C-alpha cells in the first residue's frame, strides 16, 4: 500500500515538479512494514538501504485508517495522527517540516483519492 | 451589465491601539444588528465571505469583519521592522474594543473562530455587557498540542530557512474536513500562504500560551449578561467537540451545536453547510 505511492508519484509530473529542489530520505514504519523513500530533486524512489532523515512511525491499524478513501475522524492527516498519539516522528523533525507540504502530498497518493493538501 | 458583483464593501479605519495608529481594513454587508466576525490565526477576514454574501443573514444583520493588524490588508504599526509580533489577551481585547468604538457599533454580536473563538470567550468574560451575544466557532479553553514543542523549539513556521507560506498551509491543511469542497479547502489554504513572516506564530502565542483559559476565569462568564453559543465542527482534531464541551461544563447556560462534517474553518471551508447551523442561532439571538 505505502510502496504504491512511489509509482503514483512517478506517474504525476506536476507532483514531481514540486520536489525539484527537495533532497530527503524518510521512512514510513508500521508494525509489519517499513518503506524508505528517497526524494531526490525531482525523482522519487524506494531505497531500502538509505539512512532516513526522519521516520514516521505508527501501528498498522493507524496506517490502515489513514489510507481509507474517507478516513475516520483524526486519521486523515499525519499531524492529526500525531495529536491523537497514534504517530511519532523520529529523527530530524526540521527536515520533515521544511518539506511538510510535499510529504503530505506524497502520502496522500496512498489514498488514491482526491488530494487534501 | 452581467458581471457578478458581490454585495461586500471594504474600507479602512484608523484605530488608536495602545497609543499607536493602526490602519485597519474591514468589510461589511447587510443592515440591522451588528455581527462582528473574527478570523483565525495567521489568516484574514476573507474567511467570512460566505457569511457576508448570505442574504438570509444580511437581511437582518450588518455583518462586519476586519483584518487584525499585521494580517490581510491591515498594516502593522509604524516601526514593526524593529519588533516581533506576539498577540496577547490585552492587545486582542483592546483591538476589538477600539474597532467597535470606532465604528460606533451598539452592542454587537461577536463571532470568532479558533483564536477568534478564544477572543469571544475573553470578551464575554471581561466585557460581556458590551455585547448582545457571543458565538464561538471551534472555541475551547486551551490544550497542550503535541505540535506546540515543534512550533516553539524548531520554530519551523518562522525561520528564514523554511518556506513559511508552504509550512503554514501544510500545518493547517489537515484541520479541514476531508469532505469539504476542494475549491474552498484550497482557498482557505491560499489565505494561509499569504500571511506575513512571524504573524501566524505570533497569533499562536495567544492561542497556545498567553490566552489559555484553563485558569478558572471561565467561571466569570455570565450568560445572563452575554448569551454564549458554541458551534464546533466534528472533523477538527485540535479544537475538538470534547474540548468545546469542557467550556460548556464551566459556563452554565451556554448552548452548543456540533456540526458534523466540518473542520477548523467552518465559515470558509464549507460556508453553505456552516450557514445551516449559523442561521438558527442568529434567529434566536434576533428573537431574544
Amino acid at each position: 500500500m505505502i510502496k504504491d505511492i512511489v509509482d503514483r508519484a512517478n506517474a504525476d509530473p506536476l507532483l514531481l515538479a514540486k520536489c525539484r529542489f527537495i533532497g530527503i530520505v524518510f521512512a514510513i514504519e508500521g508494525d509489519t512494514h517499513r518503506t524508505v523513500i528517497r526524494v531526490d530533486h525531482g525523482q522519487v524512489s524506494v531505497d531500502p538501504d538509505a539512512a532516513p532523515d526522519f521516520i514516521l512511525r505508527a501501528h498498522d491499524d493507524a496506517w490502515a485508517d489513514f489510507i481509507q478513501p474517507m478516513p475516520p475522524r483524526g486519521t486523515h492527516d499525519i499531524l492529526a495522527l500525531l495529536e491523537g498519539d497514534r504517530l511519532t516522528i523520529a529523527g530530524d523533525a526540521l527536515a520533515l517540516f521544511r518539506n511538510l507540504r510535499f510529504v503530505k502530498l506524497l502520502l496522500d497518493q496512498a489514498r488514491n483519492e482526491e488530494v487534501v493538501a | 451589465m452581467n458581471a457578478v458583483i458581490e454585495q461586500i464593501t471594504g474600507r479602512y479605519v484608523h484605530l488608536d491601539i495602545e497609543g499607536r495608529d493602526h490602519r485597519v481594513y474591514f468589510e461589511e454587508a447587510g443592515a440591522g444588528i451588528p455581527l462582528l466576525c473574527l478570523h483565525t490565526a495567521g489568516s484574514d477576514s476573507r474567511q467570512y465571505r460566505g457569511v457576508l454574501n448570505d442574504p438570509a443573514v444580511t437581511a437582518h444583520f450588518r455583518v462586519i469583519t476586519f483584518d487584525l493588524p499585521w494580517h490581510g490588508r491591515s498594516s502593522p504599526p509604524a516601526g514593526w521592522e524593529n519588533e516581533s509580533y506576539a498577540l496577547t489577551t490585552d492587545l486582542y481585547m483592546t483591538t476589538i474594543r477600539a474597532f467597535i468604538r470606532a465604528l460606533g457599533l451598539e452592542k454587537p454580536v461577536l463571532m470568532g473562530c479558533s483564536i477568534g473563538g478564544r477572543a469571544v470567550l475573553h470578551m464575554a468574560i471581561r466585557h460581556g455587557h458590551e455585547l448582545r451575544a457571543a458565538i464561538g466557532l471551534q472555541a475551547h479553553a486551551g490544550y497542550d498540542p503535541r505540535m506546540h514543542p515543534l512550533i516553539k523549539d524548531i520554530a519551523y513556521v518562522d525561520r528564514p530557512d523554511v518556506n513559511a507560506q508552504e509550512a503554514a498551509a501544510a500545518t493547517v491543511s489537515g484541520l479541514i474536513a476531508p469532505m469539504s469542497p476542494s475549491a474552498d479547502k484550497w482557498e482557505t489554504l491560499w489565505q494561509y500562504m499569504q500571511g506575513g513572516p512571524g504573524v501566524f506564530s505570533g497569533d499562536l502565542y495567544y492561542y497556545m500560551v498567553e490566552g489559555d483559559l484553563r485558569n478558572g476565569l471561565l467561571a466569570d462568564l455570565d450568560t445572563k449578561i452575554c448569551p454564549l453559543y458554541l458551534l464546533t465542527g466534528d472533523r477538527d482534531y485540535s479544537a475538538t467537540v470534547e474540548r468545546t464541551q469542557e467550556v460548556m461544563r464551566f459556563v452554565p447556560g451556554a448552548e452548543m451545536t456540533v456540526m458534523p462534517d466540518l473542520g477548523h474553518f467552518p465559515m470558509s471551508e464549507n460556508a453553505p453547510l456552516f450557514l445551516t447551523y449559523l442561521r438558527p442561532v442568529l434567529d434566536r439571538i434576533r428573537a431574544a
Side-chain angles (χ1 to χ4, degrees):
Chain A
M1 59 176 185
I2 299 293
K3 279 181 183 164
D4 292 346
I5 68 177
V6 171
D7 293 336
R8 289 182 186 152
N10 280 309
D12 185 344
L14 272 178
L15 187 62
L16 292 179
K18 290 184 195 298
C19 68
R20 183 180 161 207
F21 298 108
I22 297 177
I24 49 171
V25 176
F26 70 99
I28 301 167
E29 280 188 9
D31 305 307
T32 60
H33 60 92
R34 182 176 200 261
T35 305
V36 181
I37 294 175
R38 176 183 292 281
V39 182
D40 188 6
H41 302 88
Q43 296 186 323
V44 180
S45 58
V46 174
D47 188 348
D49 299 325
D53 299 303
F54 59 89
I55 302 164
L56 304 176
R57 193 174 283 142
H59 290 302
D60 285 354
D61 62 345
W63 288 121
D65 284 343
F66 178 83
I67 65 168
Q68 287 185 33
M70 186 53 69
R73 271 178 67 184
T75 65
H76 68 293
D77 180 274
I78 55 171
L79 300 186
L81 290 171
L82 177 72
E83 288 297 336
D85 286 329
R86 297 185 71 190
L87 176 139
T88 58
I89 300 164
D92 181 1
L94 181 58
L96 166 61
F97 283 94
R98 187 177 273 139
N99 300 289
L100 185 60
R101 186 165 172 230
F102 180 77
V103 170
K104 283 192 176 190
L105 285 169
L106 197 56
L107 288 172
D108 282 333
Q109 303 304 308
R111 201 165 283 141
N112 199 19
E113 250 259 327
E114 182 199 354
V115 167
V116 176
Chain B
M1 190 171 72
N2 296 319
V4 175
I5 298 179
E6 298 182 12
Q7 59 178 336
I8 301 168
T9 57
R11 299 168 74 186
Y12 291 88
V13 61
H14 285 257
L15 304 181
D16 183 314
I17 301 170
E18 298 183 338
R20 304 169 78 184
D21 177 62
H22 288 71
R23 185 173 186 254
V24 167
Y25 179 74
F26 69 99
E27 295 185 338
E28 65 175 294
I33 300 166
L35 170 61
L36 181 57
C37 304
L38 307 173
H39 59 76
T40 63
S43 188
D44 61 60
S45 63
R46 285 175 293 177
Q47 292 180 320
Y48 283 98
R49 72 173 172 87
V51 179
L52 287 155
N53 277 316
D54 182 31
V57 173
T58 55
H60 303 288
F61 288 85
R62 179 186 174 194
V63 185
I64 310 152
T65 179
F66 67 95
D67 296 341
L68 277 172
W70 302 76
H71 299 68
R73 293 173 73 163
S74 292
S75 303
W80 69 269
E81 68 277 15
N82 298 316
E83 56 193 89
S84 74
Y85 169 73
L87 186 63
T88 63
T89 308
D90 284 347
L91 177 61
Y92 206 168
M93 299 305 104
T94 299
T95 302
I96 293 166
R97 295 176 79 213
F99 184 84
I100 290 172
R101 269 198 308 277
L103 264 69
L105 305 180
E106 188 71 27
K107 289 198 81 162
V109 178
L110 185 65
M111 177 164 76
C113 185
S114 187
I115 62 163
R118 184 75 52 75
V120 158
L121 299 177
H122 271 125
M123 276 291 290
I125 291 167
R126 292 187 179 189
H127 310 289
H129 59 283
E130 298 175 12
L131 305 175
R132 181 169 176 142
I135 305 172
L137 311 176
Q138 310 308 121
H140 62 93
Y143 76 111
D144 301 311
R146 297 284 180 274
M147 280 290 289
H148 188 227
L150 293 162
I151 290 171
K152 183 162 57 75
D153 297 338
I154 66 173
Y156 73 91
V157 289
D158 183 22
R159 54 187 289 161
D161 56 345
V162 175
N163 182 325
Q165 298 167 309
E166 300 248 337
T171 298
V172 302
S173 63
L175 297 172
I176 298 172
M179 60 282 284
S180 283
S182 177
D184 297 317
K185 261 189 278 196
W186 284 102
E187 183 169 347
T188 299
L189 295 176
W190 179 252
Q191 289 154 8
Y192 267 85
M193 290 175 167
Q194 294 185 311
V199 174
F200 184 31
S201 55
D203 285 342
L204 292 179
Y205 174 69
Y206 166 73
Y207 191 56
M208 293 180 174
V209 183
E210 195 272 346
D212 198 305
L213 265 173
R214 291 172 297 174
N215 51 12
L217 287 179
L218 278 173
D220 295 336
L221 201 164
D222 188 344
T223 56
K224 293 188 195 70
I225 294 171
C226 178
L228 176 65
Y229 300 88
L230 301 170
L231 284 72
T232 298
D234 76 346
R235 280 280 173 163
D236 184 348
Y237 66 79
S238 66
T240 59
V241 168
E242 293 75 17
R243 292 187 176 118
T244 302
Q245 286 167 338
E246 286 173 13
V247 177
M248 294 290 292
R249 281 197 285 279
F250 286 102
V251 186
E255 295 187 26
M256 180 176 172
T257 305
V258 175
M259 302 186 290
D261 296 345
L262 285 168
H264 195 69
F265 311 95
M267 64 288 178
S268 70
E269 68 177 69
N270 191 345
L273 180 58
F274 168 63
L275 285 161
T276 65
Y277 298 105
L278 178 65
R279 289 184 198 118
V281 170
L282 294 178
D283 287 345
R284 295 194 49 199
I285 291 171
R286 196 158 58 91

